[in-house]
């Protein structure tokens, strides 16, 4: 039965549009949809499941008198910071794609394959993690449960679409020989070891997000983690080299089996036939692809893995829509009351 009303804030953006595709694919029990963006997009039409909708300008009154149950926000940090509390105040559950609320102690940070039960403690806002963190923890969680991770070294190779439309257009500009507008350096035929802003420690915010969010989602503040995040000239799909040190002994064959059985993971690992995950193969898919699974012989108990996912799907839109589905299933089963917030 279609009984809920759902809003998408940032409906014209890179992630917002993918959220709309996912809502069409997954057919949630939704009665009515509302779409919001800036004044630039107000009045534009879009079609979802055979029905035409008009994008409205987001204002402080946007959530009044509409009986919206869930609002998926993908309009950047400043918009989330201001409007998510306005929506939550009206009893709407916000699923937020920005970094604004992720480290707030009152806000659950959720990857449905890892910690769906965190949804139960929401107070009106549920945060969707950073795209690079999501794909990493989907692969790390089953290994952490079994072998207790001690230390993680992340090195990422991140697609331009992670920076929104502007990032995508910068690579197209570069291919045409034009100057970048979004990034501080040309991205075409280049790698930029600089995602989000630097802080005084020399790390970028993207790196700190990966470190802090991994600990929060895995529920383990003792983890030792470091990260280097790099923007590469790829349109879709983030790749990550992850070095992991375990507390417990393991057999490599068990690691493979554990990953092969893990929710949301697909192992692609056969070097003899040149099989390993690559961003061009992950595009448009919801799984997290893992390959290059091998021992790190410089450690007593360590491995290296290579993890690839579509950053706009599993890294953003798919994860938020999965959170919405899980939230609805908790409401439907009576596990969570509708007015939890
Ligand atoms: P708009 O397209 O009208 O500017 P991306 O990350 O791909 O750049 O997308 C950002 C999304 O956030 C777009 O949907 C954009 O709408 C939306 N957005 C940007 N500024 C505002 C604003 N002030 N109010 C509402 N939505 C906004």
């Amino acid at each position: 039965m279609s009984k809920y009303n759902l809003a998408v804030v940032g409906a014209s953006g890179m992630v917002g549009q993918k959220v709309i595709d996912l809502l069409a694919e997954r057919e949630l029990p939704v009665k009515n949809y509302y779409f919001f963006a800036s004044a630039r997009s107000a009045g534009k039409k879009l079609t979802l499941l055979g029905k035409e909708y008009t994008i409205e300008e987001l204002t402080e009154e946007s959530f009044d008198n509409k009986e919206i149950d869930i609002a998926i926000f993908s309009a950047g940090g400043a918009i989330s910071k201001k409007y998510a509390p306005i929506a939550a105040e009206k009893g709407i559950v916000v699923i937020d794609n920005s970094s604004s609320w992720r480290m707030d102690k009152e806000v659950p940070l959720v990857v449905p394959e890892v910690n769906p039960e965190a949804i139960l403690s929401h107070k009106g806002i549920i945060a969707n993690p950073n795209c690079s963190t999501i794909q990493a923890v989907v692969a790390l969680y089953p290994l952490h449960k079994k072998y207790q991770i001690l230390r993680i070294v992340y090195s990422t190779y991140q697609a331009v679409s992670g920076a929104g439309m502007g990032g995508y257009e910068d690579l197209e500009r570069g291919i045409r020989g034009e100057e970048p507008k979004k990034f501080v350096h040309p991205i075409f035929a280049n790698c930029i070891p600089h995602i989000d802003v630097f802080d005084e420690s020399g790390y970028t915010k993207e790196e700190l997000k990966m470190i802090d969010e991994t600990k929060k989602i895995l529920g383990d503040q003792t983890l030792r983690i470091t990260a280097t995040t790099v923007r590469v000239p790829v349109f879709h799909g983030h790749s990550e080299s992850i070095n992991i040190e375990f507390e417990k002994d393991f057999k490599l064959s068990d690691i493979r089996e554990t990953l092969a059985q893990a929710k949301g993971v697909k192992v692609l690992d056969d070097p003899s036939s040149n099989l390993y995950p690559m961003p061009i193969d992950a595009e448009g898919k919801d799984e997290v692809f893992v390959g290059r699974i091998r021992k790190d012989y410089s450690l007593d108990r360590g491995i290296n893995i290579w993890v690839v996912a579509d950053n706009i799907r599993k890294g953003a839109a798919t994860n938020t829509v999965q959170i919405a589905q899980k939230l609805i299933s908790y409401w439907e089963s009576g596990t969570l009351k509708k007015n939890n917030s």
Side-chain angles (χ1 to χ4, degrees):
M1 215 175 76
S2 296
K3 36 181 167 173
Y4 302 103
N5 293 326
L6 190 148
V8 178
V9 176
S12 53
M14 196 103 207
V15 174
Q17 289 182 10
K18 201 56 83 180
V19 166
I20 295 166
D21 291 348
L22 262 294
L23 292 170
E25 278 174 33
R26 296 191 169 214
E27 297 200 31
L28 277 61
V30 170
K31 196 164 49 186
N32 217 341
Y33 287 99
Y34 295 94
F35 298 101
F36 301 103
S38 78
R40 288 180 291 276
S41 307
K44 283 190 187 155
K45 307 276 184 209
L46 64 89
T47 305
L48 174 55
L49 296 166
K51 199 168 155 188
E52 191 178 72
Y53 296 88
T54 305
I55 297 180
E56 299 173 46
E57 179 184 358
L58 181 70
T59 67
E60 290 182 26
E61 287 74 44
S62 289
F63 307 109
D64 294 348
N65 309 316
K66 293 195 177 77
E67 296 184 7
I68 296 169
D69 300 286
I70 299 173
I72 295 177
F73 274 59
S74 305
I79 297 297
S80 292
K81 194 94 207 154
K82 176 172 176 190
Y83 290 92
I86 295 176
E89 181 67 27
K90 298 192 187 321
I92 299 169
V93 181
V94 172
I95 302 173
D96 184 39
N97 249 310
S98 80
S99 59
S100 291
W101 300 98
R102 289 180 190 147
M103 295 316 295
D104 189 309
K105 286 198 170 57
E106 301 279 285
V107 175
L109 184 62
V110 177
V111 177
E113 290 85 347
V114 179
N115 61 340
E117 67 292 338
I119 291 173
L120 300 173
S121 62
H122 85 80
K123 294 189 171 55
I125 303 176
I126 299 169
N128 196 62
N130 178 265
C131 45
S132 322
T133 311
I134 293 175
Q135 69 183 70
V137 296
V138 168
L140 292 174
Y141 172 65
L143 301 177
H144 187 47
K145 257 200 318 191
K146 220 163 163 183
Y147 309 106
Q148 179 67 49
I149 296 173
L150 294 175
R151 180 168 185 259
I152 300 165
V153 181
Y154 286 131
S155 307
T156 72
Y157 306 69
Q158 299 183 215
V160 290
S161 53
M165 291 289 187
Y168 197 93
E169 287 163 3
D170 249 19
L171 180 51
E172 291 182 325
R173 277 185 204 102
I175 292 168
R176 292 195 299 267
E178 297 167 17
E179 289 299 307
K181 287 191 184 164
K182 172 85 183 174
F183 301 122
V184 293
H185 299 288
I187 186 62
F188 177 62
N190 199 15
C191 294
I192 309 176
H194 174 183
I195 302 182
D196 208 331
V197 296
F198 284 100
D199 86 349
E200 62 286 352
S201 67
Y203 280 80
T204 63
K205 264 198 177 169
E206 184 80 356
E207 290 158 353
L208 298 172
K209 281 181 229 168
M210 287 195 81
I211 295 168
D212 296 337
E213 294 178 21
T214 299
K215 292 181 188 177
K216 180 167 175 176
I217 299 162
L218 295 180
D220 189 343
Q221 292 299 323
T222 69
L223 289 168
R224 283 176 291 140
I225 311 177
T226 190
T228 303
T229 60
V230 181
R231 189 75 69 192
V232 297
V234 166
F235 283 110
H236 297 283
H238 288 356
S239 305
E240 299 175 348
S241 161
I242 310 183
N243 179 264
I244 310 160
E245 185 178 358
F246 296 114
E247 164 100 49
K248 297 185 186 156
D249 275 331
F250 63 88
K251 283 205 190 100
L252 203 58
S253 56
D254 288 338
I255 298 266
R256 264 178 219 287
E257 191 50 32
T258 303
L259 285 168
Q261 301 294 328
K263 264 192 242 164
V265 172
K266 185 154 187 209
V267 172
L268 293 180
D269 193 24
D270 184 7
S272 67
S273 56
N274 303 325
L275 182 70
Y276 29 73
M278 291 186 292
I280 48 170
D281 299 322
E283 189 182 341
K285 310 254 173 62
D286 287 329
E287 297 100 327
V288 171
F289 298 91
V290 183
R292 302 295 320 280
I293 303 164
R294 63 205 191 280
K295 275 198 171 170
D296 173 356
Y297 292 106
S298 71
L299 292 170
D300 290 337
R301 286 178 289 274
I303 60 166
N304 288 303
I305 57 174
W306 175 251
V307 178
V308 179
D310 184 324
N311 54 303
I312 302 294
R313 279 189 78 108
K314 183 54 188 162
T318 304
N319 202 69
T320 50
V321 174
Q322 284 175 318
I323 293 172
Q325 289 180 295
K326 196 72 204 170
L327 176 66
I328 290 173
S329 80
Y330 283 141
W331 283 338
E332 299 274 294
S333 66
T335 312
L336 184 64
K337 287 209 178 70
K338 197 60 187 37
N339 56 357
N340 193 42
S341 42

